[in-house]
Structures are given as C-alpha cells and as structure tokens.
Amino acid sequence: MRPTLLTLVGSFAAGVFASYPAKTKNVQDVFDTSMAVLDTYYDPSAGYIYDFSEAALRHTVTETAWYALGLVMRNDGNDIEEAEKIINNLVRGQFKDKSKQWYGTYQKYPEEPVVGSDVYPQRIYWTWDPNWRGFVGTTFVMILEEYSDRISNETQELIVESLRHAVIGDTYRVGGVDNDNLYPGYSNPAIMRAFTSGWLGRRINDENMTRSGEAYANEIIELFNITNTLSEFNSGTYTGISLFGLTLWSTYLPKDSVMAQCAPNMIRKTWNSVSELWHPGMRNLAGPWDRAYGWDMNRYFSIMGVWFWAYLGKEHSSLIKHAQAMTHSKDHAWAPVISVLADKQAALLPEGFFEKLKTFQGEHTSENKVYYPPYDLEIRNVSTWLSRNLTIGAQSINQMAVGGPTTTAFTPAGVQWTAGDQIGFWILRPTEKKLQSVVSPGKLSLTYPEGTNQSVFEFAMSTFRSKPMMNSLDDIPNLKISVSGNVNHAPNLTFAGVNGGAGKPLQSFDVWIFRFSMPKCFKGKPTITLDFAV
Ligand SMILES: *[C@@H]1O[C@H](CO)[C@@H](O)[C@H](O)[C@H]1NC(C)=O
Ligand SMILES: *[C@@H]1O[C@H](CO)[C@@H](O)[C@H](O)[C@H]1NC(C)=O
Ligand SMILES: *[C@@H]1O[C@H](CO)[C@@H](O)[C@H](O)[C@H]1NC(C)=O
Ligand SMILES: *[C@@H]1O[C@H](CO)[C@@H](O)[C@H](O)[C@H]1NC(C)=O
Ligand SMILES: *[C@@H]1O[C@H](CO)[C@@H](O)[C@H](O)[C@H]1NC(C)=O
Ligand SMILES: *[C@@H]1O[C@H](CO)[C@@H](O)[C@H](O)[C@H]1NC(C)=O
Ligand SMILES: CC(=O)N[C@H]1CO[C@H](CO)[C@@H](O)[C@@H]1O
C-alpha cells in the first residue's frame, strides 16, 4: 500500500510520543523503568508476557493485560498493534460457558488444558482464578476510559462484550458457597467487583447491573465505616490493590454513585493508617500484616512499593534499584496501572502528605481496629509501636479458623529491626484461633485464652548474611531478646530453607523457627513475654 498523507502523519505522531508523558518525574520513572523490564518479558510471537517465575517460558495472563495498558499509554511504533493483539488473545481465552462456576473469568495461561476436563479438574484459585475477572476487567475499563481514541472500534466492542461476561460471571461468587470466599471483607476483589458492575451497568444501560454494583459497594462501605479500616488490613501487596480499586471508584464513576461519593474518605483514612505504619528508615510497613508475601518489603516486590515509588521516588521506596531481582517481581506489571492513577489519587490527599513519608516522624504508637467477617468473630485490636531501629506490632483476635482467611500469609504479630546492612524480622505464626496481645515500647506479650499444654508460640525469623549460623537467641545480630512467661524458656530452634532443613521457606523467605512449647504443668493461660533491645 502506498503511504497516504494520513499514515505519514500517523507514524510521525507516534514517533513524537516515544514515551508516556507523566505529570511527575517519579511517575515517569515508574512507567519508563517498568516498561523497559516488561518489554524484555514480552513475547510478540505469542502476544503474551512470559511468566516471571521459573516457568520454562510459559506465558501469563494478568501481567499481559497490564502490559497492554502500558503499550496503549506509550503509543510508540507498533505498540497499539501489539496491544490490540493482546486484547484479542485475552478475550479469546475468557471462559464463556455460562453453566460453569468460572464463567467470565480469564485463563491463567494460554497453554493450560481445558479447565474442568478429566485431565484438568476445576479447582478455584488453582486451575482457575475468580479474581482474574476483576484484574483484567478493571484494566479493560481503564483502556476504554483513557484511550478509546487509540484503539479500533472493533476492539472496543470486544472489550465491552468481554466485560459483560466478567461482570455477570462475578455475580456467581458468593462467599462460603462452592469454595468461594468473596465476602465484602475480602477488600481487593470486592472493591473491583462493585466497580466493574457499577461502571458497565451505566455504559450498557443495564440498570440492574448498576444497582447491583452500588448495592455491593454499600456493603463494603458499611463494613469500612465500622472501623475506618479495610477488612484486609495492612498488606504490602493488597493494601496497594485496594487503594487502586478505590481510586477507580473515585475517578471513573459519576457523582450519583455511592462509590464516587465515599471513595475519597476511604482513601484518606487508609493512607492515614499507612502513614502511621510506614517506617521511612526501615522502608517497611510495620506489622502485623493480614496478608504478607514476605516480612521485609526491601526484599519482596510489593504494590505499596510502587505507590511509594510514584510518590516518594524509588530511593525512598521499599524497592531496590533493579527491582526485577526481588521476589514476587511479577507485580512490576502493575506499573502502568499505577502510573495512570497516581496523580488522580494524590489529588484526594492533603498538600504535602507524601513529603512527610520521607522521614521518620519519631517514636509513636498506632492503634487500629479491624473487622473481617465472617472470619473475625470479634473486632480485632491492632497495636503497633515504632521507634527508630525497632518496631513491634501485634493484634488481639478471635477468629473462626486459625489464620482467618489465609494461614500462610496471615501474620498476627511482627517485629522488625535494623540489623546492620539489612532489616531483621521476627514474626508469630498463627496456631490458635484466639490470641490476646499487648504491645508497649520494647515489649510484646502474647496470651492464648484457650491454650493448653499442647500450645506453642512459634516465631519465624529472617536469616542474616552477616551471621548465617544460629545456635540460640544470643546469636541474633543487633537484637537482644529476653523471654518470660509460663512457657519453656528454651526454644526449639530449626531452620527452614530452600535447599533443606526442618521445613520449607515461608513465601520465598528462608527462616529460622523458634518454637516455644508449654511445660506439662503450668499455671494460668499460655503466655509469653518478649523484651527486645536493639
Ligand atoms: C468508530 O465509531 C465512531 C462512531 O461510532 C466513528 O465516528 C468513528 O469514525 C469510528 N472510528 C473508527 C476508527 O472506525
Ligand atoms: C440482576 O442482578 C442480580 C445481582 O447481580 C442478578 O443475580 C440477577 O440475575 C440480575 N437480573 C437480571 C434480570 O439481569
Ligand atoms: C460511611 O461513613 C461516611 C463518612 O462518615 C458517610 O458519609 C457514609 O454515609 C457512611 N456510609 C454508610 C453506608 O454507612
Ligand atoms: C477489641 O477491643 C474491644 C473493646 O474496644 C473489645 O470489645 C473486643 O473484644 C476486643 N477484641 C478482641 C479480639 O479481643
Ligand atoms: C525440635 O523440633 C523438631 C522439628 O519439629 C523436632 O524434630 C525435634 O525433635 C525437636 N527437638 C526437641 C529437642 O524437642
Ligand atoms: C495437659 O492437658 C491435658 C488436657 O488439657 C490434661 O488432660 C493433662 O492432664 C495435662 N497434662 C499435665 C501434665 O498437666
Ligand atoms: C543501635 C542502632 O542500630 N542504631 C542505628 C539506628 O538506625 C540509624 C539509622 O537507621 C543508624 O544510623 C544507627 O546505627
């Protein structure tokens, strides 16, 4: 085809906008750095991103969706063509059989066998993931809202049709039914669900869908209002996703939506607790954590880390320079999403809010209440003490099941300290449904109200390059721990590492396990008190 004037102008324009023009230097850095990383993971012959983990070049779906948004934003060379190819791939890989529980969600990867076949039985969160509706769906909405002028009408129609499947499929989810766990307290997917339903209902004039989104949002808001915190509280990863979802509420819904009305307040309250728990010196959110992919944010890639990067600059965030080396680094793919929303969210917070997060404000205590029904039988009380070189956080809980919604990630108590060239962590593993905690400067007391002589206080501690071998509590670098209470004072010490020891790593962290058991005969309820000194 001979180039017409129009195609020449088109390619010239594409050349001019060689990068997404962000409003701030930090957001520009988030976007450019991350896209450069994602470009190296992109497989144009397939139209998918390679899985970031050890995966023999399998491809992956959600990261590919976020990358497609990044391509549309960058709009350079054949970016738009690739994005359209990707969108078509993702929609082709969406489950369209209305009779299946996984209707409307997207594949986990294109090479996977047929979900629900004899060889590949359906298993929620394993062979299919109900939250992919929300992750891919919200990304599609952002593409339509921000860049509908850059993509073809056919692709836009394809997206709207795909969103219809995703929104209706999401209504199949009922917490406690068919192994699903979507309650309004499961903050991050709940917020996405209300949003896509409210947004699409308005777009396609489906009043029932709009109403259903608004009604679900009301349940989330009522729950939030009880404690002024997200039910899925303090998580390096998931607080970041909930803030993303609340920013969607506030940005892309009209003023008559309860979501647009309530999101700014929820965002401010959530950032207030973040600002109390964020330790700028240690570059960590102090504990305890509801869902942790690790216990030192300097070593795992978190989505809060990307927000901090966007607002404070990478050097003040929890991410290392070459953040793709960190564990859970696939969340690098969140960068385009956060780049679009960073300024919109910042506009809802007071002037100078983020500047304060660059320096430690001095010793303080943060008290929070959290409620996540049905897992919490009572409101949880969370208390965190922060000092320059030591933080201690713990909560009192009365849960339906040990660990509440997640046993591996739920961390009822956590201590962090500066240990030379790294951060040390000392965390309580969940072993009982009821726990009473008292936090005070330098001190942590834990009691099991329903404990027995079989109870254990099991702590996992970081490893240290400066001190690879650990024989007792006396070997811990930069930290003295004194033990009191009616426990056996000498712990059983084991190692859990990637290549061996008494157990497997936690998330991807090698850990030392200090296990305190109870004497056969003891008075009162099982109690341990730990005094920490740096
Ligand atoms: C898309 O559709 C709109 C109206 O529905 C039309 O004005 C526009 O020209 C179309 N764009 C393209 C690229 O086909
Ligand atoms: C209306 O929405 C509810 C809840 O999302 C759904 O269960 C129901 O099937 C919808 N009804 C119609 C007619 O679309
Ligand atoms: C939640 O609290 C906010 C702010 O106090 C209030 O405006 C809103 O009406 C409340 N919403 C619900 C559903 O309780
Ligand atoms: C948290 O504190 C409140 C009092 O403010 C109390 O009613 C509640 O039982 C406490 N929760 C737990 C799990 O101890
Ligand atoms: C310590 O715990 C390990 C692993 O549970 C166990 O094999 C070992 O026997 C325990 N040692 C003592 C002295 O209790
Ligand atoms: C340990 O607890 C069990 C049940 O709580 C009790 O039956 C047993 O007597 C206790 N053992 C000792 C030595 O106290
Ligand atoms: C005793 C101790 O570890 N002090 C450290 C506290 O943290 C500051 C700043 O992070 C260090 O400079 C101190 O050495």
Side-chain angles (χ1 to χ4, degrees):
M1 189 182 84
R2 276 174 52 213
T4 63
L5 184 60
L6 208 64
T7 57
L8 283 174
V9 169
S11 53
F12 174 71
V16 169
F17 299 111
S19 168
Y20 165 72
K23 289 213 183 69
T24 68
K25 183 173 116 303
N26 290 332
V27 175
Q28 193 75 62
D29 188 42
V30 169
F31 184 78
D32 292 345
T33 307
S34 304
M35 284 301 282
V37 170
L38 293 170
D39 284 342
T40 67
Y41 278 88
Y42 183 57
D43 176 3
S45 73
Y48 281 97
I49 289 272
Y50 291 123
D51 194 322
F52 274 54
S53 50
E54 288 182 40
L57 297 186
R58 284 192 299 272
H59 299 91
T60 175
V61 160
T62 46
E63 289 75 26
T64 300
W66 297 314
Y67 180 64
L69 171 65
L71 290 172
V72 177
M73 290 164 74
R74 189 170 61 188
N75 189 19
D76 185 30
N78 60 346
D79 282 350
I80 300 296
E81 228 172 284
E82 292 302 318
E84 297 225 12
K85 177 160 86 190
I86 287 174
I87 292 165
N88 277 272
N89 280 344
L90 299 180
V91 173
R92 198 174 324 113
Q94 184 179 29
F95 299 110
K96 311 234 175 44
D97 181 346
K98 290 193 163 80
S99 71
K100 301 289 193 251
Q101 195 188 346
W102 49 98
Y103 165 58
T105 198
Y106 301 83
Q107 285 180 320
K108 293 187 84 172
Y109 64 106
E111 294 86 357
E112 72 189 23
V114 173
V115 172
S117 61
D118 288 346
V119 292
Y120 203 57
Q122 75 90 6
R123 189 175 168 206
I124 190 170
Y125 291 115
W126 290 85
T127 55
W128 63 280
D129 195 313
N131 293 342
W132 270 213
R133 297 181 185 108
F135 288 132
V136 178
T138 52
T139 308
F140 279 172
V141 171
M142 289 176 74
I143 291 174
L144 290 183
E145 280 279 355
E146 300 284 337
Y147 299 107
S148 53
D149 57 331
R150 293 185 183 176
I151 52 172
S152 68
N153 284 353
E154 285 96 333
T155 302
Q156 290 183 47
E157 279 162 24
L158 202 62
I159 289 180
V160 171
E161 189 51 25
S162 173
L163 282 169
R164 223 172 52 81
H165 294 301
V167 168
I168 295 172
D170 223 35
T171 67
Y172 290 18
R173 301 190 70 179
V174 179
V177 176
D178 294 334
N179 288 320
D180 204 333
N181 62 335
L182 185 58
Y183 301 96
Y186 186 5
S187 307
N188 83 84
I191 291 168
M192 292 192 288
R193 171 201 200 146
F195 171 73
T196 41
S197 181
W199 186 90
L200 187 66
R202 287 174 173 88
R203 166 91 182 210
I204 64 175
N205 292 316
D206 182 334
E207 268 178 49
N208 184 51
M209 190 179 275
T210 307
R211 244 196 330 270
S212 144
E214 295 288 315
Y216 203 69
N218 261 314
E219 291 187 49
I220 297 168
I221 296 162
E222 273 167 28
L223 189 55
F224 185 93
N225 277 3
I226 297 173
T227 58
N228 284 318
T229 53
L230 294 164
S231 304
E232 203 177 19
F233 182 70
N234 198 30
S235 162
T237 299
Y238 293 103
T239 303
I241 301 179
S242 291
L243 284 169
F244 146 78
L246 292 172
T247 307
L248 296 176
W249 282 19
S250 133
T251 306
Y252 300 123
L253 289 169
K255 287 282 164 272
D256 69 2
S257 165
V258 69
M259 292 182 257
Q261 291 157 15
C262 291
N265 172 56
M266 295 163 82
I267 288 172
R268 282 191 283 271
K269 296 249 164 73
T270 302
W271 271 104
N272 278 341
S273 46
V274 166
S275 72
E276 287 180 8
L277 295 169
W278 170 246
H279 194 305
M282 296 193 198
R283 312 276 157 84
N284 261 285
L285 288 163
W289 307 274
D290 272 19
R291 286 180 75 191
Y293 286 135
W295 300 272
D296 174 10
M297 287 169 72
N298 299 279
R299 287 198 264 163
Y300 75 94
F301 193 106
S302 65
I303 294 167
M304 282 310 296
V306 187
W307 285 121
F308 290 129
W309 183 5
Y311 294 132
L312 314 178
K314 204 179 210 176
E315 67 282 14
H316 293 284
S317 80
S318 55
L319 300 170
I320 64 169
K321 180 154 187 267
H322 298 293
Q324 63 270 37
M326 301 170 83
T327 186
H328 226 268
S329 68
K330 67 191 172 103
D331 281 343
H332 228 308
W334 273 85
V337 171
I338 285 177
S339 301
V340 172
L341 298 176
D343 302 324
K344 303 178 200 295
Q345 178 175 243
L348 304 172
L349 291 156
E351 193 79 33
F353 178 84
F354 293 110
E355 211 45 40
K356 282 192 310 198
L357 301 189
K358 288 186 180 170
T359 43
F360 185 58
Q361 300 292 305
E363 184 180 328
H364 63 276
T365 300
S366 173
E367 306 280 357
N368 291 285
K369 290 189 180 295
V370 184
Y371 187 44
Y372 189 159
Y375 301 101
D376 286 331
L377 303 178
E378 278 174 75
I379 289 179
R380 285 184 270 152
N381 299 304
V382 184
S383 179
T384 306
W385 170 77
L386 296 90
S387 70
R388 177 163 295 282
N389 293 316
L390 174 64
T391 68
I392 303 174
Q395 53 187 316
S396 295
I397 56 181
N398 176 7
Q399 292 176 313
M400 186 174 82
V402 171
T406 64
T407 37
T408 4
F410 184 71
T411 311
V415 174
Q416 290 176 320
W417 73 99
T418 52
D421 61 355
Q422 71 172 86
I423 299 301
F425 64 79
W426 170 278
I427 57 154
L428 178 69
R429 304 284 298 137
T431 53
E432 308 234 347
K433 293 188 269 192
K434 284 191 184 180
L435 167 71
Q436 287 292 311
S437 307
V438 182
V439 170
S440 57
K443 197 192 262 291
L444 171 64
S445 292
L446 303 169
T447 302
Y448 294 137
E450 288 178 356
T452 67
N453 53 22
Q454 301 301 304
S455 291
V456 293
F457 292 92
E458 187 172 302
F459 299 95
M461 187 183 72
S462 48
T463 57
F464 301 91
R465 191 155 53 88
S466 65
K467 185 83 185 163
M469 190 58 195
M470 214 39 66
N471 293 303
S472 74
L473 287 172
D474 298 331
D475 290 331
I476 302 173
N478 288 42
L479 187 72
K480 281 222 95 44
I481 304 183
S482 338
V483 180
S484 51
N486 56 13
V487 295
N488 289 319
H489 288 192
N492 175 338
L493 173 57
T494 55
F495 177 73
V498 64
N499 295 321
K504 293 259 186 291
L506 294 181
Q507 303 297 6
S508 40
F509 285 67
D510 279 11
V511 288
W512 293 97
I513 303 282
F514 292 84
R515 202 161 190 265
F516 294 85
S517 53
M518 298 305 298
K520 283 279 161 284
C521 294
F522 65 94
K523 294 236 157 53
K525 311 205 178 304
T527 296
I528 189 169
T529 297
L530 301 168
D531 282 276
F532 299 92
V534 281

